[in-house]
Amino acid sequence: MMTKEIPAIEMIDVSYRYPRSKKIVIKNLNLTVKQGEFLAVMGENGAGKSTLCQILNGIIPHSLHGKLSGKILVQGLDTQETPISVLSTKVGIVLDDPENQLFTTSVMSEVAFGPENLNVPVDEIRERIRWAIDVVGLTGFEDRMPTALSGGQKQRLVIAAALAMQPSILILDEATSQIDPLGVFEVLNLVKELNQKYGMTIVMATDQSEEVTRLVDRVIVLGDGEKVAEGTPREVFSDTQLFSRFMIRSPQVSQLGTRLKEAGHPLPVFPITIEEAQSGIIQILNGKKPSNPKTQAPSPKETPAVSTSDVIIHVENLDYVYQPQTVKAVEDVSFDIYRGEFVALIGQNGSGKTTVLKNMLGLLQPTKGKVIIAGLDTQVAPVADLARHVGFVLQNPDQQLFAETVEDEISFGPRNLGLDEETIKARVAEVLTLVGLEEKRQEFPPALPKGERAKVVIASALALDPEIIVLDEPTTGQDYKGCHQILQIAKKLNEMGRTIVFVTHHMALVTEYARRVIVMRGGHILVDSKTEDVFDQTELVLKAHIIPPQITTLSQSLPPELGLPRVALSVSDLANSILDRLGQAV
Amino acid sequence: MGSMVLYVPGKTFFHKLDPRAKIVFLVLVSTSIFTVRNIPLALIGLGVMIALWGLARLPWKILYGLLKTLVGIFIFLFIIQSIFYPGEQILVKPLIPSFIPLIGGSGKIAMEGINFAFLLIVRLLTMIILMPLVSMTTPVQNLALGLAKMGLPYHISFTITSALNMVPILQSEVSIIMDAQKLRAMRIYEKGKIMEKFKSYTALVTPLVIGAMRRAQSMAVAMDSRAFGAMKTRSYLQDIRLRWVDWAFITGTVAYSIGTIIVASILPRL
């Protein structure tokens, strides 16, 4: 099936511009991918990753026109001259949102869809279905409805559907960005197997650098449509300028390596894996006994005062059942959140996080138990009244933008409260400065880049001047820069005295920003404690299928006699402790 | 939230019917119901649909939900029809005296009007139950296959059936957008004047349309990369064959529809 002589993909001086657009999204790109190679494509949102993926499978120029120049050969076939019916048997693609890639009502018919379109004889289709479903591990699910599957299972089904077309190249365009960590784990393991066991060529657009290090042979970095860096994960992540120039998040251990190098204490080998960082740290700290045992305690974060007498969110024995089901989505959940806290609510999809949040806002009414927000009983107070106290930002910004300009969008809430125009104007100006969108006040919100759309939604919630801000997965689909900008805003608000509750699957953001973590599993609270205490309970965290940030795992793997914090929550946490120890030893 | 169109897996005879038999059923019954001008006959038609609903073991909750959402429209229709339908058997004297030009004499309620309104509602209900009866018992790909086998080009039948698939997605999108608006202190959905309500519905449109467009773009990429429409002919994993049950059902449907049309033309109106 595979010809070893020719490369799987060859791009020669490729440029592309979308129809009715002046911007060149891919600039003079040259790229060769060998048969069986695993390539990662990185770059911030808008750098051209998705466009590249669609050029590779022939969607550009066959379905999306625009101006394409240069030459693209896929398994030796020129994509501009080869029909989609042939290209689709060479390249399979998996996109981010599984919902948009499933068209039928059973797993089996979903896998059959592609081969049916190619007029493959029915007996052979059956054979291919059996094989593809077996490879992705969905045997036994043939008659299930795709809508009833978990996020990870859905993406595995999409992969099976692609495999049934028998491609030799598989493209994953942010395929793990919309699913929970357990799903990410399932999908990446499958992709690794396809690469190693079946010899498939993989091109994966992603920003998960830790996974990239573990899986791929080569990385290319796109910046503004150009290839700005290329090499093995080690070569690419060793470039300490990478982050500042192209907003690429290198693995946390590499970030640590960079920090130490800049401080004049480089590790013997620049680390890209936990093992390398671990042995490097042991080496440079070797023989330097901690002179002061007090450094053993984790450095407490400077926190604004939280008064434990001032309960602002009170949840008591909350049960919730989604009618007409009978299973409790949330069972016997109780917690108090105090004014000024910064809390992360984590757990897999379906663990009950969003259900709890919606009960907190009166969007759902408790089946049993009660919720009191800023003194208001959510079963009595209308949502619009609760909205004065709680700014709730839902997951997808696109479902929360109703107005024609950013300014109108932000005024929407205050107008509903019936505030006078003067006050509204002042509030709009205030929140625009807070989120840094002063320049965009006249723009059409849906046309802004994704990171800015999220900021408009946050600004709109802030315009109601709430004491509590609740963010439900605000970072889904955002790149590294976007994630941090959103949480920086939350941090600033917290420092101004607001209470923050957020849900996310990005554990590095949880440890870096949250001071308290509530872990949910199967509708129950599994742990509810200070961030460092939660991640100290390794077994419990694993039980909820939560993968701690790399830096935390690294700190836990270091021998205690080094006198470093047992649970490092951020790169700078650990870097500072190490530098501290080195300083003391001098 | 129960969807009123999405396939509900089941093993009843109605589920197992060939999609073509169900398409014939949908078309013939909805046509014949329009010829009915007689209340008892219309009620029989509605009764048959409800009986089929039970036979197909579809959730009664959904039927109840359907009625609940439509009750407003029905009341509106009832009032309008009873007031404006011309009739002899006057129950309520005209509200506006007949000496006023143009609008004089209107506002009366006649027995015929009430009867007509009732008939209209029964017929509408029958039609409304028909749709989910077919779409909830037939997987979309089988419906597409049925239409294709009946001669409709596959890309058209697939588009029609995909639209069905989109309904629950849009439903959930609408409820999320409405939640988002409530969270921005909007009260209209709880209580509010009709004009304001109308305005707030227009605020739904922007995010809904933009969301649908983004979704459509993604779906187009996914479909193209699975070779949708790439070949002139296409194979089908599922093989549908008209068995004797299907023929019996089609015969029954044809007999029932023709019978209805004939009886409707013989029986007196209303």
Side-chain angles (χ1 to χ4, degrees), chain B residues 20-43:
Chain B
R20 284 167 291 185
K22 284 187 261 190
I23 295 165
V24 169
F25 167 76
L26 182 69
V27 174
L28 285 186
V29 174
S30 52
T31 318
S32 68
I33 194 79
F34 263 107
T35 65
V36 176
R37 298 254 182 272
N38 178 281
I39 290 177
L41 190 60
L43 280 173

PDB file of all heavy atoms in Angstrom, chain B residues 20-43:
ATOM      1  N   ARG B  20     -39.667   3.804   3.310  1.00  0.00           N
ATOM      2  CA  ARG B  20     -40.532   4.233   2.200  1.00  0.00           C
ATOM      3  C   ARG B  20     -41.996   4.127   2.578  1.00  0.00           C
ATOM      4  O   ARG B  20     -42.807   4.993   2.248  1.00  0.00           O
ATOM      5  CB  ARG B  20     -40.249   3.395   0.950  1.00  0.00           C
ATOM      6  CG  ARG B  20     -38.972   3.803   0.251  1.00  0.00           C
ATOM      7  CD  ARG B  20     -38.557   2.796  -0.777  1.00  0.00           C
ATOM      8  NE  ARG B  20     -38.116   1.550  -0.145  1.00  0.00           N
ATOM      9  CZ  ARG B  20     -37.609   0.519  -0.822  1.00  0.00           C
ATOM     10  NH1 ARG B  20     -37.527   0.564  -2.130  1.00  0.00           N
ATOM     11  NH2 ARG B  20     -37.202  -0.559  -0.186  1.00  0.00           N
ATOM     12  N   ALA B  21     -42.350   3.045   3.312  1.00  0.00           N
ATOM     13  CA  ALA B  21     -43.744   2.871   3.740  1.00  0.00           C
ATOM     14  C   ALA B  21     -44.139   4.048   4.621  1.00  0.00           C
ATOM     15  O   ALA B  21     -45.247   4.587   4.529  1.00  0.00           O
ATOM     16  CB  ALA B  21     -43.889   1.561   4.489  1.00  0.00           C
ATOM     17  N   LYS B  22     -43.198   4.497   5.479  1.00  0.00           N
ATOM     18  CA  LYS B  22     -43.511   5.591   6.383  1.00  0.00           C
ATOM     19  C   LYS B  22     -43.599   6.927   5.646  1.00  0.00           C
ATOM     20  O   LYS B  22     -44.388   7.795   6.010  1.00  0.00           O
ATOM     21  CB  LYS B  22     -42.482   5.642   7.518  1.00  0.00           C
ATOM     22  CG  LYS B  22     -42.738   4.540   8.541  1.00  0.00           C
ATOM     23  CD  LYS B  22     -41.848   4.649   9.760  1.00  0.00           C
ATOM     24  CE  LYS B  22     -40.679   3.722   9.662  1.00  0.00           C
ATOM     25  NZ  LYS B  22     -39.925   3.621  10.937  1.00  0.00           N
ATOM     26  N   ILE B  23     -42.767   7.072   4.599  1.00  0.00           N
ATOM     27  CA  ILE B  23     -42.840   8.312   3.817  1.00  0.00           C
ATOM     28  C   ILE B  23     -44.188   8.396   3.094  1.00  0.00           C
ATOM     29  O   ILE B  23     -44.840   9.444   3.090  1.00  0.00           O
ATOM     30  CB  ILE B  23     -41.650   8.411   2.823  1.00  0.00           C
ATOM     31  CG1 ILE B  23     -40.333   8.513   3.609  1.00  0.00           C
ATOM     32  CG2 ILE B  23     -41.803   9.605   1.893  1.00  0.00           C
ATOM     33  CD1 ILE B  23     -39.088   8.252   2.793  1.00  0.00           C
ATOM     34  N   VAL B  24     -44.617   7.243   2.518  1.00  0.00           N
ATOM     35  CA  VAL B  24     -45.924   7.196   1.857  1.00  0.00           C
ATOM     36  C   VAL B  24     -47.018   7.563   2.845  1.00  0.00           C
ATOM     37  O   VAL B  24     -47.904   8.382   2.576  1.00  0.00           O
ATOM     38  CB  VAL B  24     -46.187   5.784   1.265  1.00  0.00           C
ATOM     39  CG1 VAL B  24     -47.635   5.634   0.821  1.00  0.00           C
ATOM     40  CG2 VAL B  24     -45.235   5.516   0.105  1.00  0.00           C
ATOM     41  N   PHE B  25     -46.917   6.982   4.034  1.00  0.00           N
ATOM     42  CA  PHE B  25     -47.872   7.233   5.110  1.00  0.00           C
ATOM     43  C   PHE B  25     -47.932   8.725   5.438  1.00  0.00           C
ATOM     44  O   PHE B  25     -49.009   9.337   5.501  1.00  0.00           O
ATOM     45  CB  PHE B  25     -47.426   6.403   6.320  1.00  0.00           C
ATOM     46  CG  PHE B  25     -48.076   6.747   7.618  1.00  0.00           C
ATOM     47  CD1 PHE B  25     -49.379   6.342   7.897  1.00  0.00           C
ATOM     48  CD2 PHE B  25     -47.376   7.446   8.593  1.00  0.00           C
ATOM     49  CE1 PHE B  25     -49.962   6.645   9.111  1.00  0.00           C
ATOM     50  CE2 PHE B  25     -47.955   7.750   9.807  1.00  0.00           C
ATOM     51  CZ  PHE B  25     -49.252   7.355  10.071  1.00  0.00           C
ATOM     52  N   LEU B  26     -46.754   9.324   5.576  1.00  0.00           N
ATOM     53  CA  LEU B  26     -46.677  10.746   5.932  1.00  0.00           C
ATOM     54  C   LEU B  26     -47.359  11.611   4.869  1.00  0.00           C
ATOM     55  O   LEU B  26     -48.176  12.484   5.175  1.00  0.00           O
ATOM     56  CB  LEU B  26     -45.200  11.150   6.085  1.00  0.00           C
ATOM     57  CG  LEU B  26     -44.908  12.576   6.502  1.00  0.00           C
ATOM     58  CD1 LEU B  26     -45.335  12.791   7.944  1.00  0.00           C
ATOM     59  CD2 LEU B  26     -43.421  12.893   6.375  1.00  0.00           C
ATOM     60  N   VAL B  27     -47.045  11.326   3.615  1.00  0.00           N
ATOM     61  CA  VAL B  27     -47.564  12.164   2.531  1.00  0.00           C
ATOM     62  C   VAL B  27     -49.081  11.975   2.369  1.00  0.00           C
ATOM     63  O   VAL B  27     -49.837  12.947   2.359  1.00  0.00           O
ATOM     64  CB  VAL B  27     -46.835  11.849   1.206  1.00  0.00           C
ATOM     65  CG1 VAL B  27     -47.465  12.592   0.048  1.00  0.00           C
ATOM     66  CG2 VAL B  27     -45.353  12.202   1.331  1.00  0.00           C
ATOM     67  N   LEU B  28     -49.516  10.693   2.296  1.00  0.00           N
ATOM     68  CA  LEU B  28     -50.938  10.442   2.040  1.00  0.00           C
ATOM     69  C   LEU B  28     -51.839  10.915   3.184  1.00  0.00           C
ATOM     70  O   LEU B  28     -52.843  11.573   2.955  1.00  0.00           O
ATOM     71  CB  LEU B  28     -51.176   8.950   1.769  1.00  0.00           C
ATOM     72  CG  LEU B  28     -50.719   8.463   0.392  1.00  0.00           C
ATOM     73  CD1 LEU B  28     -51.147   7.018   0.182  1.00  0.00           C
ATOM     74  CD2 LEU B  28     -51.279   9.348  -0.716  1.00  0.00           C
ATOM     75  N   VAL B  29     -51.439  10.577   4.397  1.00  0.00           N
ATOM     76  CA  VAL B  29     -52.311  10.928   5.517  1.00  0.00           C
ATOM     77  C   VAL B  29     -52.404  12.448   5.666  1.00  0.00           C
ATOM     78  O   VAL B  29     -53.482  12.991   5.894  1.00  0.00           O
ATOM     79  CB  VAL B  29     -51.840  10.259   6.827  1.00  0.00           C
ATOM     80  CG1 VAL B  29     -52.658  10.752   8.009  1.00  0.00           C
ATOM     81  CG2 VAL B  29     -51.953   8.747   6.706  1.00  0.00           C
ATOM     82  N   SER B  30     -51.269  13.148   5.490  1.00  0.00           N
ATOM     83  CA  SER B  30     -51.345  14.601   5.674  1.00  0.00           C
ATOM     84  C   SER B  30     -52.145  15.260   4.554  1.00  0.00           C
ATOM     85  O   SER B  30     -52.774  16.292   4.765  1.00  0.00           O
ATOM     86  CB  SER B  30     -49.953  15.219   5.803  1.00  0.00           C
ATOM     87  OG  SER B  30     -49.150  14.815   4.741  1.00  0.00           O
ATOM     88  N   THR B  31     -52.150  14.632   3.364  1.00  0.00           N
ATOM     89  CA  THR B  31     -52.981  15.190   2.290  1.00  0.00           C
ATOM     90  C   THR B  31     -54.464  14.948   2.587  1.00  0.00           C
ATOM     91  O   THR B  31     -55.294  15.854   2.485  1.00  0.00           O
ATOM     92  CB  THR B  31     -52.649  14.531   0.933  1.00  0.00           C
ATOM     93  OG1 THR B  31     -51.244  14.403   0.842  1.00  0.00           O
ATOM     94  CG2 THR B  31     -53.178  15.347  -0.225  1.00  0.00           C
ATOM     95  N   SER B  32     -54.774  13.687   2.962  1.00  0.00           N
ATOM     96  CA  SER B  32     -56.190  13.342   3.122  1.00  0.00           C
ATOM     97  C   SER B  32     -56.826  14.126   4.269  1.00  0.00           C
ATOM     98  O   SER B  32     -57.987  14.499   4.203  1.00  0.00           O
ATOM     99  CB  SER B  32     -56.352  11.834   3.328  1.00  0.00           C
ATOM    100  OG  SER B  32     -55.806  11.468   4.576  1.00  0.00           O
ATOM    101  N   ILE B  33     -56.041  14.408   5.297  1.00  0.00           N
ATOM    102  CA  ILE B  33     -56.612  15.080   6.450  1.00  0.00           C
ATOM    103  C   ILE B  33     -57.153  16.465   6.064  1.00  0.00           C
ATOM    104  O   ILE B  33     -58.080  16.982   6.676  1.00  0.00           O
ATOM    105  CB  ILE B  33     -55.582  15.169   7.603  1.00  0.00           C
ATOM    106  CG1 ILE B  33     -56.254  15.541   8.924  1.00  0.00           C
ATOM    107  CG2 ILE B  33     -54.493  16.155   7.322  1.00  0.00           C
ATOM    108  CD1 ILE B  33     -56.935  14.389   9.572  1.00  0.00           C
ATOM    109  N   PHE B  34     -56.590  17.025   5.011  1.00  0.00           N
ATOM    110  CA  PHE B  34     -57.019  18.353   4.591  1.00  0.00           C
ATOM    111  C   PHE B  34     -58.404  18.363   3.947  1.00  0.00           C
ATOM    112  O   PHE B  34     -59.054  19.393   3.891  1.00  0.00           O
ATOM    113  CB  PHE B  34     -55.998  18.968   3.627  1.00  0.00           C
ATOM    114  CG  PHE B  34     -55.067  19.870   4.351  1.00  0.00           C
ATOM    115  CD1 PHE B  34     -53.754  19.500   4.585  1.00  0.00           C
ATOM    116  CD2 PHE B  34     -55.510  21.102   4.836  1.00  0.00           C
ATOM    117  CE1 PHE B  34     -52.907  20.328   5.288  1.00  0.00           C
ATOM    118  CE2 PHE B  34     -54.669  21.930   5.529  1.00  0.00           C
ATOM    119  CZ  PHE B  34     -53.365  21.542   5.762  1.00  0.00           C
ATOM    120  N   THR B  35     -58.803  17.187   3.457  1.00  0.00           N
ATOM    121  CA  THR B  35     -60.113  17.156   2.805  1.00  0.00           C
ATOM    122  C   THR B  35     -61.241  16.991   3.824  1.00  0.00           C
ATOM    123  O   THR B  35     -62.402  17.158   3.501  1.00  0.00           O
ATOM    124  CB  THR B  35     -60.180  15.983   1.798  1.00  0.00           C
ATOM    125  OG1 THR B  35     -60.079  14.762   2.547  1.00  0.00           O
ATOM    126  CG2 THR B  35     -59.059  16.044   0.783  1.00  0.00           C
ATOM    127  N   VAL B  36     -60.865  16.655   5.070  1.00  0.00           N
ATOM    128  CA  VAL B  36     -61.884  16.383   6.088  1.00  0.00           C
ATOM    129  C   VAL B  36     -62.557  17.672   6.553  1.00  0.00           C
ATOM    130  O   VAL B  36     -61.889  18.613   6.955  1.00  0.00           O
ATOM    131  CB  VAL B  36     -61.265  15.629   7.282  1.00  0.00           C
ATOM    132  CG1 VAL B  36     -62.290  15.434   8.383  1.00  0.00           C
ATOM    133  CG2 VAL B  36     -60.712  14.302   6.831  1.00  0.00           C
ATOM    134  N   ARG B  37     -63.886  17.676   6.473  1.00  0.00           N
ATOM    135  CA  ARG B  37     -64.635  18.854   6.916  1.00  0.00           C
ATOM    136  C   ARG B  37     -65.637  18.468   8.002  1.00  0.00           C
ATOM    137  O   ARG B  37     -66.583  19.181   8.261  1.00  0.00           O
ATOM    138  CB  ARG B  37     -65.415  19.463   5.742  1.00  0.00           C
ATOM    139  CG  ARG B  37     -64.544  19.947   4.615  1.00  0.00           C
ATOM    140  CD  ARG B  37     -64.473  21.458   4.607  1.00  0.00           C
ATOM    141  NE  ARG B  37     -63.680  21.952   3.509  1.00  0.00           N
ATOM    142  CZ  ARG B  37     -62.356  22.119   3.584  1.00  0.00           C
ATOM    143  NH1 ARG B  37     -61.713  21.867   4.686  1.00  0.00           N
ATOM    144  NH2 ARG B  37     -61.684  22.572   2.545  1.00  0.00           N
ATOM    145  N   ASN B  38     -65.455  17.281   8.537  1.00  0.00           N
ATOM    146  CA  ASN B  38     -66.439  16.724   9.448  1.00  0.00           C
ATOM    147  C   ASN B  38     -65.754  16.377  10.772  1.00  0.00           C
ATOM    148  O   ASN B  38     -64.747  15.669  10.790  1.00  0.00           O
ATOM    149  CB  ASN B  38     -67.016  15.473   8.772  1.00  0.00           C
ATOM    150  CG  ASN B  38     -68.022  14.784   9.646  1.00  0.00           C
ATOM    151  OD1 ASN B  38     -67.641  14.069  10.566  1.00  0.00           O
ATOM    152  ND2 ASN B  38     -69.302  15.013   9.378  1.00  0.00           N
ATOM    153  N   ILE B  39     -66.282  16.914  11.874  1.00  0.00           N
ATOM    154  CA  ILE B  39     -65.576  16.776  13.155  1.00  0.00           C
ATOM    155  C   ILE B  39     -65.390  15.317  13.596  1.00  0.00           C
ATOM    156  O   ILE B  39     -64.275  14.912  13.899  1.00  0.00           O
ATOM    157  CB  ILE B  39     -66.254  17.628  14.248  1.00  0.00           C
ATOM    158  CG1 ILE B  39     -65.987  19.104  13.929  1.00  0.00           C
ATOM    159  CG2 ILE B  39     -65.704  17.278  15.627  1.00  0.00           C
ATOM    160  CD1 ILE B  39     -66.652  20.071  14.873  1.00  0.00           C
ATOM    161  N   PRO B  40     -66.459  14.486  13.581  1.00  0.00           N
ATOM    162  CA  PRO B  40     -66.238  13.099  14.023  1.00  0.00           C
ATOM    163  C   PRO B  40     -65.168  12.399  13.189  1.00  0.00           C
ATOM    164  O   PRO B  40     -64.310  11.686  13.741  1.00  0.00           O
ATOM    165  CB  PRO B  40     -67.607  12.437  13.804  1.00  0.00           C
ATOM    166  CG  PRO B  40     -68.586  13.548  13.844  1.00  0.00           C
ATOM    167  CD  PRO B  40     -67.887  14.746  13.313  1.00  0.00           C
ATOM    168  N   LEU B  41     -65.160  12.632  11.884  1.00  0.00           N
ATOM    169  CA  LEU B  41     -64.179  11.990  11.012  1.00  0.00           C
ATOM    170  C   LEU B  41     -62.765  12.472  11.367  1.00  0.00           C
ATOM    171  O   LEU B  41     -61.812  11.682  11.426  1.00  0.00           O
ATOM    172  CB  LEU B  41     -64.508  12.319   9.552  1.00  0.00           C
ATOM    173  CG  LEU B  41     -63.725  11.530   8.504  1.00  0.00           C
ATOM    174  CD1 LEU B  41     -63.975  10.031   8.651  1.00  0.00           C
ATOM    175  CD2 LEU B  41     -64.107  11.988   7.104  1.00  0.00           C
ATOM    176  N   ALA B  42     -62.640  13.767  11.621  1.00  0.00           N
ATOM    177  CA  ALA B  42     -61.340  14.319  11.986  1.00  0.00           C
ATOM    178  C   ALA B  42     -60.865  13.722  13.305  1.00  0.00           C
ATOM    179  O   ALA B  42     -59.684  13.402  13.478  1.00  0.00           O
ATOM    180  CB  ALA B  42     -61.428  15.841  12.094  1.00  0.00           C
ATOM    181  N   LEU B  43     -61.821  13.543  14.230  1.00  0.00           N
ATOM    182  CA  LEU B  43     -61.455  12.967  15.527  1.00  0.00           C
ATOM    183  C   LEU B  43     -60.974  11.529  15.384  1.00  0.00           C
ATOM    184  O   LEU B  43     -60.042  11.099  16.058  1.00  0.00           O
ATOM    185  CB  LEU B  43     -62.642  13.041  16.498  1.00  0.00           C
ATOM    186  CG  LEU B  43     -62.868  14.404  17.159  1.00  0.00           C
ATOM    187  CD1 LEU B  43     -64.167  14.395  17.972  1.00  0.00           C
ATOM    188  CD2 LEU B  43     -61.686  14.786  18.048  1.00  0.00           C
TER     189      LEU B  43
END
